[in-house]
Amino acid sequence: MNQHVPIMGIPFPKLTMEQSVELLQDVIDQKEQRLFHVVTGNPEIVMSCQKDAQLRQIVDEAGLVTADGIGIVMVSRVRGGSLPERVTGCDLLFKLLEEGDRKGWSFYFLGADEETSRQAVINIGKQYPGVAIRGRHHGFFTPEDEPRIVQEIADAAPDFLIVALGAPRAEKWIHSHKDKLHAKIAIGVGGSLDIIGGKVKRAPAAWQRLNLEWLYRLISQPSRWRRQLILPRFAVKAVFFRERSRSV
Ligand code: UDP
């Protein structure tokens, strides 16, 4: 049985949230020195990969690409591949913090504005006291600051480097520094620290269950509507995309 569903050429593994967390647990347990890059594959990333060869290569090299959004899952179903469920960056981060709380996993948080970054780390410390917070840095740094931040992360050597710089900047940043970061796993998580830090409200649980998180975002952050125009375009393109028959 094929374990991946290709969507516009990107192979998405058929993994539930629980299986994704188990996979990351295995990565932490291994002695592997290379950084394991998790890309949360949302429609914007999939669409950008069609034009941006560098991003496409980063996604191809990633250890895990998760189905970030109901759009990805629905397209997989229409095409008969059936990804089991959404594994969004934000949900994955919450699961990893829960698991990390029990297992003492260590984290470094990069991204968001200074106040949000500070508040997010305070909130995480309160809610997940078993998590080892190895450091944090806001995401509005200059190129001159980068070597110092990379060194700070390398010295912290966390299990998880959480990068909230927006997509695809986070993916590119992780990839360009991957040999120097000394983190076991790095994940770009979009605006998740804004939610944890209380700057942005997440959709209520009922909306999430109904797969209407995108609609809540559209209503609560109307300035994003331009970005969300990509969703219907993605749906049409992805449903009719001619996947190359390659075994993945
Ligand atoms: N951000 C940042 N540095 C920047 C630009 C953005 O740290 O130079 C942060 C921003 O504060 C926010 C996150 O990146 O916390 C992007 O959130 P968004 O929801 O736009 O993520 P996306 O959906 O683009 O991945």
Side-chain angles (χ1 to χ4, degrees):
M1 193 181 74
N2 201 333
Q3 295 304 309
H4 291 77
V5 180
I7 296 187
M8 294 182 84
I10 294 172
F12 282 78
K14 290 183 183 174
L15 294 179
T16 61
M17 173 64 80
E18 200 183 325
Q19 290 165 333
S20 304
V21 173
E22 280 167 16
L23 175 74
L24 298 182
Q25 163 83 70
D26 289 346
V27 173
I28 288 181
D29 292 343
Q30 283 163 16
K31 294 254 177 303
E32 177 66 48
Q33 295 292 309
R34 262 187 316 163
L35 180 133
F36 187 94
H37 188 178
V38 179
V39 171
T40 55
N42 62 19
E44 278 176 285
I45 289 193
V46 172
M47 291 285 271
S48 300
C49 279
Q50 309 305 310
K51 292 192 189 135
D52 183 340
Q54 186 204 8
L55 181 63
R56 177 61 199 261
Q57 195 187 338
I58 292 170
V59 173
D60 283 346
E61 285 177 20
L64 172 65
V65 182
T66 71
D68 187 346
I70 191 60
I72 301 282
V73 174
M74 276 168 55
V75 166
S76 81
R77 292 188 180 157
V78 171
R79 296 188 59 115
S82 278
L83 291 168
E85 63 178 343
R86 296 190 308 160
V87 180
T88 69
C90 194
D91 289 329
L92 182 61
L93 176 56
F94 280 122
K95 281 277 178 258
L96 293 173
L97 289 169
E98 263 173 41
E99 203 72 7
D101 188 26
R102 285 194 286 277
K103 296 182 173 155
W105 287 344
S106 57
F107 289 73
Y108 187 103
F109 300 93
L110 175 66
D113 63 71
E114 171 60 17
E115 175 53 23
T116 305
S117 157
R118 200 181 60 80
Q119 193 57 52
V121 165
I122 291 173
N123 294 349
I124 289 167
K126 277 191 199 145
Q127 203 173 339
Y128 308 98
V131 158
I133 299 173
R134 293 265 173 90
R136 67 158 189 98
H137 199 288
H138 65 76
F140 292 84
F141 48 82
T142 63
E144 293 73 48
D145 295 328
E146 285 198 18
R148 177 180 56 80
I149 296 170
V150 169
Q151 190 56 50
E152 191 177 300
I153 296 168
D155 291 342
D159 293 323
F160 290 94
L161 168 61
I162 303 299
V163 183
L165 294 175
R169 186 167 163 225
E171 287 67 31
K172 292 186 175 180
W173 197 89
I174 291 168
H175 193 261
S176 67
H177 298 293
K178 66 181 179 355
D179 296 328
K180 291 178 246 141
L181 292 168
H182 295 173
K184 287 187 180 158
I185 297 168
I187 313 175
V189 295
S192 302
L193 294 185
D194 291 352
I195 291 170
I196 298 176
K199 184 178 175 187
V200 170
K201 257 188 132 169
R202 194 169 183 196
W207 289 58
Q208 291 178 41
R209 271 197 304 278
L210 291 168
N211 292 318
L212 289 175
E213 198 155 13
W214 61 272
L215 181 60
Y216 183 85
R217 273 190 132 181
L218 187 60
I219 296 167
S220 59
Q221 295 173 270
S223 58
R224 293 177 71 101
W225 73 270
R226 253 177 210 288
R227 285 181 55 179
Q228 291 212 343
L229 283 180
I230 205 162
L231 295 175
R233 277 180 47 222
F234 160 76
V236 172
K237 280 200 158 189
V239 165
F240 294 105
F241 190 83
R242 279 184 65 159
E243 302 290 349
R244 264 190 268 155
S245 53
R246 61 175 193 176
S247 50
V248 285

